[in-house]
Amino acid sequence: MRRNRASLYVRLSRQATDTNLSLAGMTADLRELCQREGLAEVALHIDDGQSGGFRDRPAFINWIADARAGRADVLVTWHVDRLTREGLNVAAQLLDVTEGKDPATGRQISRPVRLLDMNGLDSEHGEAFRLRFVLQAEIARGERERMRERSKAAQRRLAHAGRYRGGFTPYGYRAVPAPDGKGKTLEIDPREAEAIRECVDRVLGGHTLGRVARWLNDQGYAPRRTAEWTRRGLTHVLTGDAILGRVSRNGSPVRDPEGNILTPFPAIISEAESAALKAACNPAGERRTPMGRQPSRLLSGLLTCFSCGATLTVVRRNGRTPAYRCMSRGVGKTCAAAVSVGARVIEEHVTARYLNAVGRMRFMREQVITEGVDELAVIDSEIADVMAQVATRATPALFERLAALQDKRATAESAPPVQRVQIVDSGMTVAQWWADAHLDDRRDALATAFALLRVSPGKPGRRVFDPARLQLEWAPPAI
């Protein structure tokens, strides 16, 4: 006689360890059960690292399909909690499978199959099976809920104790052993924190996120999960809670029992800077700064034509070296003598003129100081106090006080942070800064230094750049 065909299913969640369950151990148990029952294994389906709280697991779906399609006569699993932790929802679905019923109509659409597990569960036991199966499914669901609560409680305890819970380390920090030797905590990574603070100054100073991301990549600051920085990745870091020293769960900061936001790790930026960054990056709203086209050369947008005053455009034609050229005639405008000059030679000339004039000076940089949201911390503290009182003595007066504080917080939160710019010494000369500066920053420095960079036509046949072709005017000093 043909032995009944058995389709086997095992699942191992992320929380399982070698001390309680293993894929190899469960598989060996199921094959031993098949041998005792005289079953022929026709398929083995494995969901590794899959939660039992969801039913769209690939192997689980294929295991059920074996029964629906008639490829198996018996479904074998290790335990009901390996099948589902949703309780009655999936238990009903599996009962329909074993009985060959359409889940929508309840009509018979396929041949019934047998369901077995390692703990004596057998669909051939009739009503006893149904009651036991449903009961075990609900027990598995309840255990899942308790596991989730235990996990949340553990995360809160770790946050309270200033412990790092593992996973990807937030940018700007590094995991180190805790001072008391129990677990790990986070400390600021000086180099990455310096990059974050520079990004804060640049974004609040008006630079686009794309430009700041280019600066990070140019300076060799590697992000955590991608090959290079992008606008999206930079926004995630600058508007997140991690650089405030906070721990977040499901997108919200973790709070203590009194309602205060936990800050178990040192902050890299202030609350005021965070509020200003969220307004500047505006991740949930409309784009405030155009993407634009990245300037390709040092003097892009700075050189003008002597004849018509048009801005020169960088061109690369027929494999020649790049050049700046007046394109007025190409767009139907009038230009008496359209100019063209090699990009490299005029860039070197302008750079030399600039550094010869100011290279020995101290490089002074702008630093954006953000203030104006300190009131939020005070209001949050008052709200936490009222919430603690409501938990033990809920009175109309307390609810009125809470509503008033929430309105006050909304008003304070909507007020834009106050920003001021101060000039600070970078500790370098202009020449030292220029040597490692990003192309965008060098272009900004030249745009600030020169009021006019006008190029006149060259003499026919002359291949060496004539400095007399460049009309250069310095910008007046800022008051």
Side-chain angles (χ1 to χ4, degrees), residues 97-293:
V97 172
T98 60
E99 295 172 5
K101 292 182 177 180
D102 184 340
T105 64
R107 297 181 183 276
Q108 193 85 25
I109 59 172
S110 61
R111 185 169 54 84
V113 296
R114 185 182 179 191
L115 177 62
L116 287 175
D117 80 352
M118 288 297 303
N119 293 279
L121 189 71
D122 189 341
S123 60
E124 291 188 345
H125 295 168
E127 290 297 324
F129 158 75
R130 293 175 66 90
L131 292 173
R132 182 178 172 187
F133 180 63
V134 171
L135 180 60
Q136 289 185 352
E138 275 298 296
I139 291 174
R141 183 197 60 78
E143 177 59 24
R144 176 173 180 259
E145 294 301 318
R146 288 189 291 275
M147 290 168 60
R148 293 175 63 181
E149 290 303 318
R150 289 196 296 268
S151 176
K152 291 179 182 179
Q155 298 298 339
R156 286 194 294 269
R157 287 194 298 271
L158 287 174
H160 276 283
R163 297 291 187 270
Y164 175 51
R165 63 185 181 185
F168 283 97
T169 307
Y171 194 82
Y173 296 88
R174 59 192 178 196
V176 296
D180 59 4
K182 297 179 181 179
K184 292 189 175 183
T185 187
L186 294 181
E187 70 175 14
I188 292 177
D189 183 302
R191 183 172 184 271
E192 292 183 352
E194 181 183 5
I196 288 176
R197 294 189 182 102
E198 179 68 23
C199 290
V200 171
D201 283 343
R202 288 172 177 267
V203 171
L204 297 184
H207 291 191
T208 64
L209 289 168
R211 172 172 170 173
V212 179
R214 291 197 299 271
W215 175 82
L216 284 168
N217 293 326
D218 180 73
Q219 297 298 312
Y221 293 105
R224 287 284 186 266
R225 307 188 189 187
T226 56
E228 61 180 14
W229 286 96
T230 62
R231 287 173 53 92
R232 182 178 180 181
L234 180 59
T235 300
H236 178 76
V237 170
L238 295 183
T239 61
D241 287 327
I243 57 177
L244 289 168
R246 297 172 177 174
V247 177
S248 295
R249 188 170 183 83
N250 299 325
S252 299
V254 177
R255 297 175 180 268
D256 63 18
E258 287 72 40
N260 300 308
I261 295 176
L262 291 175
T263 55
F265 311 118
I268 296 175
I269 67 173
S270 67
E271 289 270 6
E273 288 170 325
S274 178
L277 284 170
K278 289 175 181 177
C281 296
N282 198 27
E286 297 179 358
R287 191 187 306 282
R288 295 187 177 181
T289 55
M291 284 291 288
R293 185 176 178 181

Side-chain angles (χ1 to χ4, degrees), residues 240-463:
D241 287 327
I243 57 177
L244 289 168
R246 297 172 177 174
V247 177
S248 295
R249 188 170 183 83
N250 299 325
S252 299
V254 177
R255 297 175 180 268
D256 63 18
E258 287 72 40
N260 300 308
I261 295 176
L262 291 175
T263 55
F265 311 118
I268 296 175
I269 67 173
S270 67
E271 289 270 6
E273 288 170 325
S274 178
L277 284 170
K278 289 175 181 177
C281 296
N282 198 27
E286 297 179 358
R287 191 187 306 282
R288 295 187 177 181
T289 55
M291 284 291 288
R293 185 176 178 181
Q294 178 183 352
S296 59
R297 304 287 306 191
L298 177 64
L299 300 178
S300 295
L302 302 183
L303 298 176
T304 59
C305 175
F306 181 85
S307 299
C308 66
T311 301
L312 302 189
T313 303
V314 178
V315 294
R316 298 177 180 83
R317 293 181 177 174
N318 302 325
R320 298 179 182 177
T321 56
Y324 294 94
R325 181 173 299 174
C326 176
M327 304 299 292
S328 292
R329 294 176 179 176
V331 294
K333 296 182 180 179
T334 302
C335 183
V339 302
S340 179
V341 61
R344 182 179 60 82
V345 292
I346 195 168
E347 288 169 356
E348 291 177 351
H349 175 74
V350 172
T351 299
R353 293 282 298 273
Y354 175 73
L355 293 179
N356 286 339
V358 302
R360 294 184 179 85
M361 297 180 180
R362 303 293 292 178
F363 179 71
M364 310 300 288
R365 62 188 297 270
E366 292 183 348
Q367 185 177 34
V368 180
I369 306 298
T370 306
E371 303 166 331
V373 295
D374 295 336
E375 183 185 3
L376 286 175
V378 177
I379 298 173
D380 281 338
S381 178
E382 293 179 7
I383 290 176
D385 290 340
V386 174
M387 290 291 291
Q389 295 178 56
V390 168
T392 57
R393 183 173 55 88
T395 66
L398 285 175
F399 281 111
E400 289 180 9
R401 173 64 176 160
L402 180 61
L405 286 170
Q406 290 172 336
D407 290 341
K408 185 178 179 181
R409 193 190 194 288
T411 302
E413 196 172 28
S414 62
V418 178
Q419 294 181 350
R420 57 184 176 86
V421 178
Q422 67 179 16
I423 306 300
V424 297
D425 190 338
S426 68
M428 298 181 288
T429 64
V430 172
Q432 290 170 332
W433 167 82
W434 183 274
D436 296 323
H438 188 264
L439 178 66
D440 292 332
D441 298 329
R442 291 179 177 180
R443 187 186 303 104
D444 280 353
L446 296 180
T448 302
F450 299 115
L452 180 67
L453 294 171
R454 181 176 292 168
V455 183
S456 60
K459 295 180 180 180
R462 188 180 180 93
R463 294 185 176 274

Side-chain angles (χ1 to χ4, degrees), residues 52-127:
F54 305 98
R55 66 191 75 171
D56 58 349
R57 290 163 274 145
F60 179 67
I61 293 172
N62 293 333
W63 182 64
I64 291 177
D66 283 346
R68 291 290 194 193
R71 293 188 293 267
D73 308 301
V74 184
L75 297 178
V76 185
T77 189
W78 199 83
H79 192 273
V80 173
D81 63 9
R82 298 300 91 198
L83 297 181
T84 178
R85 288 191 181 271
E86 285 189 88
L88 292 174
N89 308 61
V90 177
Q93 178 187 6
L94 289 169
L95 287 174
D96 282 337
V97 172
T98 60
E99 295 172 5
K101 292 182 177 180
D102 184 340
T105 64
R107 297 181 183 276
Q108 193 85 25
I109 59 172
S110 61
R111 185 169 54 84
V113 296
R114 185 182 179 191
L115 177 62
L116 287 175
D117 80 352
M118 288 297 303
N119 293 279
L121 189 71
D122 189 341
S123 60
E124 291 188 345
H125 295 168
E127 290 297 324

